[in-house]
Every structure is written in C-alpha cells, then in structure tokens.
Amino acid sequence: MGVRELGLPERLTATGELPSRVTIWEVGPRDGLQNEAATVPVDVKLEFLDRLAGAGLTTLEATSFVHPKWVPQLADAEELLGRLDRRPGVRYPVLVPNERGLDRAVAAGVGHIAVFGSATETFAKRNLNTSVDGQFAMFEPVLARARAEGMEVRGYLSMCFGDPWEGVVSAEQVVRVGKRLLDLGCSQLSLGDTIGVATAGQVERLIDAFVAAGVGVDALAVHFHDTYGQALANTLAALRRGVSTVDSSAGGLGGCPYAESATGNLATEDLVWMLDGLGIEHGADLDALVATSTWMAQRLGRPSPSRVVKALAG
Ligand code: HMG
Ligand code: MG
C-alpha cells in the first residue's frame, strides 16, 4: 500500500500564523535548466513547460534573455517562446538583465520579466559583470521601459545570506540593496539564498529587518537553494513570517553557473508535500509533478534529488 492510501501526509495545521494559500513560483525551466552541463533540446523544454502547466502550476519562469555566451543553455529563448503554447491563466516570466535583454523580451511578446541583482559586490561582478551600483544603472532603464509597456517586473536579489567569496552577508546590507530594487519599481522582491547556506533564524531576522524598514511581507518572496538541506525549514520560517510566494523547481533541478557550490533549488514536490500537510492551498497536483520530474530525470540521465520524488516515484 502506498503512503497516500494510508492518509499521508496527515493534514495538521502548524502553530503560528501561516498563509492560507501559497503561490508557487516555478523556476525549473529557467534556474533548473540554466545549470545543466548539456543543453536540453527545445522540444524537451516545451514539453516540460506544458507538463508543469498541466500539473496546475500557474507561474512558470520560462527562460532568460541573457547573453548566450554567458548561459548557452538558454540561448534558445526566442525559439522557445516563439513555439510556446501559452495556457490561459498561466504566466511565463523571463529573466532580463539589461536593455538588450528587454528588446528581446518585447520582441518575443513577454508580459512579465524579472531583473536580478546581487547583494554583494563579488557576485555582481561575476554574474553581471558590474558592481552593486552598476547593476542599478543597468536596471533603471529596463524598469522604466518595461513598466511603460505595461509589464510586471519582479526583482531577484542574490546572496542574501551567504556569499562564497565574501562570507556571511548582513541583513542591513541585504535590506539596503533590496529596498533599492523595490524603489526602482519592482512589484516583488525574491530573496535568494543562491548557494543554499541559510538557516531558519537568519531567514526570520532578514524578513523582520525588511518589515522594520517599511517593506510589507506581501512584497517578498523566498528563493532557497537546497545545498545544505535547509530549504524546506527556511521556507517554513518564511511562511510563519507571512511570506506567501515561494520559488521552487520541479524535481529540485537548479543552481547558478556563476555561483560556486550552488546546487538545486527547493524541489517543488518537497514544498507541495509540506503545504499539503499544513493544509495550505497551492493548486498543484503532486502526482502530476512527480510524473513530470521522473520524466525529466530520464531526459537528463540522472535521478531527481527530491526526496518526495524518490519516495513517490516507485
Ligand atoms: P557584458 O559582457 O558586460 O555585456 O555582460 P556588454 O553590455 O558589455 O555587451 C557585450 C556584448 O553582449 C554586446 O554585443 C551586447 O549587445 C551583447 P556586441 O556589441 O559585442 O556584439 N549583449 C547581449 N546579447 C544578448 N542578450 C543580452 C545581452 N546583453 C549584452 N541580454 C551581461 C553583461 C549582463 C549581458 C552578462 O553578464 C550576462 O548575460 N549575465 C547573465 C548571467 C546569468 O544569467 N546568471 C544566471 C541567472 S541569475 C541566478 O541564477 C540567481 C537567481 O536564481 C536567484 C538566486 O538564486 O540567488 C535569479
Ligand atoms: Mg536561483
């Protein structure tokens, strides 16, 4: 008998305030596939997106309009979006670092973009070839034009907890840089633990620091990589602080090619298992997600690192 027939996970509400509904921001097609050693064929990417939409996910970060030499795995962004069968009720945001990226996104008919900044100088240089100030000079015209075109713009902030070159990153530094992204016009700020080193106390402290600086939790999302196995605990800490948008990647794919030691994102299936147990609505179908990640693992030639996929795929 499978665990699901045994009534698992048992649905119990945890103590403390928790949101009644969570928006899952699926980053597998972008964060997941940008880090693969081999480039995944566009037909496979399209089927992946279609399966994820079929599994009930309504925010699918599809690709990036970055320099193809920097991230060759996503060099097919134009072809992918040109052939994408956009499902009603599903949004397909893409990453855009600069005006050249925005030109490409506009030409591809994109309605929702995300700029991605760094809280630290070293990662700004390594990921965007600029400085912390320089990234804002790059984003400013992107935000101005994108918003004039009626696009929604999310802001990512990387290295919010620890940086492989600079060590622990202070909450003050992260709030200072994060507020600049919001002040520029980003509708949401996703706090990235790019290398997956954060622990729950740090997450609470950072969210509290944003709130103390006048940022509402409804403007915050969390983006945890799972290098040290803390992503789910960190997510629960953020939920208890009132955050209700959580980034995750089907099957736990992911990482950043410009951040040493970054591994996969929080697996969407692991997140869904926990949300189900807590009685928090999310709209996704766990069995369809597990089937999708099992299928994708076959395409990539290695098993999914997700514990829930391993447990349920059997
Ligand atoms: P650069 O080399 O400084 O670019 O790279 P440049 O502005 O000097 O331009 C050089 C050439 O690139 C020019 O062409 C530009 O037109 C071209 P030329 O005139 O020499 O023929 N170019 C472009 N071509 C296509 N698309 C573009 C583009 N921009 C310039 N958008 C740049 C600067 C930002 C482009 C580069 O650093 C880059 O592409 N970086 C992206 C790195 C990346 O994608 N990293 C992964 C995503 S971030 C992440 O994963 C973290 C996250 O998940 C959150 C977390 O986990 O923390 C979001
Ligand atoms: Mg990431």
Side-chain angles (χ1 to χ4, degrees):
M1 185 186 280
V3 289
R4 311 293 283 289
E5 286 75 50
L6 293 167
L8 294 169
E10 187 183 8
R11 279 149 212 264
L12 284 182
T13 306
T15 56
E17 286 296 309
L18 285 168
S20 56
R21 185 171 181 90
V22 156
T23 299
I24 300 175
W25 188 291
E26 169 63 44
V27 298
R30 192 279 304 172
D31 207 343
L33 299 185
Q34 76 179 8
N35 208 38
E36 282 301 313
T39 300
V40 174
V42 72
D43 287 335
V44 173
K45 292 178 178 178
L46 287 165
E47 185 169 347
F48 188 37
L49 282 158
D50 205 53
R51 283 171 174 259
L52 293 170
L57 295 171
T58 53
T59 305
L60 303 178
E61 198 169 88
T63 186
S64 300
F65 284 107
V66 295
H67 196 298
K69 282 198 192 121
W70 282 64
V71 185
Q73 294 86 342
L74 303 183
D76 58 7
E78 271 85 3
E79 187 189 351
L80 180 90
L81 290 176
R83 292 177 52 197
L84 179 66
D85 183 14
R86 291 174 172 79
R87 295 221 191 178
V90 178
R91 51 189 185 163
Y92 297 90
V94 302
L95 259 57
V96 164
N98 56 11
E99 284 203 275
R100 175 82 184 92
L102 182 62
D103 293 340
R104 295 172 60 199
V106 169
V110 165
H112 197 155
I113 64 166
V115 295
F116 50 103
S118 170
T120 66
E121 291 292 346
T122 314
F123 191 63
K125 179 70 188 162
R126 286 183 174 253
N127 199 45
L128 292 167
N129 198 24
T130 185
S131 59
V132 167
D133 282 343
Q135 70 192 359
F136 285 100
M138 208 158 82
F139 298 155
E140 206 177 327
V142 173
L143 264 292
R145 266 182 58 204
R147 295 189 67 210
E149 300 251 4
M151 289 182 181
E152 201 171 321
V153 186
R154 170 185 240 211
Y156 274 105
L157 190 60
S158 287
M159 303 299 173
C160 287
F161 302 94
D163 172 294
W165 303 279
E166 299 187 20
V168 173
V169 184
S170 76
E172 293 68 33
Q173 183 175 337
V174 176
V175 170
R176 197 168 54 243
V177 184
K179 275 200 79 174
R180 281 177 76 178
L181 278 169
L182 289 169
D183 291 344
L184 215 53
C186 291
S187 55
Q188 185 178 61
L189 181 68
S190 177
L191 304 173
D193 182 16
T194 319
I195 56 168
V197 290
T199 52
Q202 259 185 310
V203 173
E204 290 173 355
R205 185 184 56 187
L206 183 60
I207 293 168
D208 291 348
F210 270 105
V211 171
V215 176
V217 278
D218 51 335
L220 299 177
V222 286
H223 180 104
F224 296 119
H225 286 262
D226 204 24
T227 320
Y228 289 83
Q230 305 296 303
L232 206 49
N234 291 340
T235 300
L236 183 57
L239 296 179
R240 286 209 169 116
R241 283 295 195 267
V243 171
S244 61
T245 300
V246 178
D247 300 2
S248 63
S249 131
L253 297 170
C256 176
Y258 292 100
E260 279 166 25
S261 69
T263 63
N265 291 81
L266 167 65
T268 306
E269 293 85 352
D270 297 13
L271 173 64
V272 164
W273 181 268
M274 181 177 80
L275 296 178
D276 279 348
L278 293 171
I280 297 175
E281 280 177 46
H282 50 76
D285 174 339
L286 183 56
D287 293 329
L289 284 173
V290 170
T292 298
S293 292
T294 306
W295 166 85
M296 195 50 161
Q298 282 159 2
R299 307 277 96 57
L300 297 174
R302 59 185 156 71
S304 158
S306 159
R307 306 286 283 269
V308 171
V309 171
K310 278 183 194 146
L312 292 181

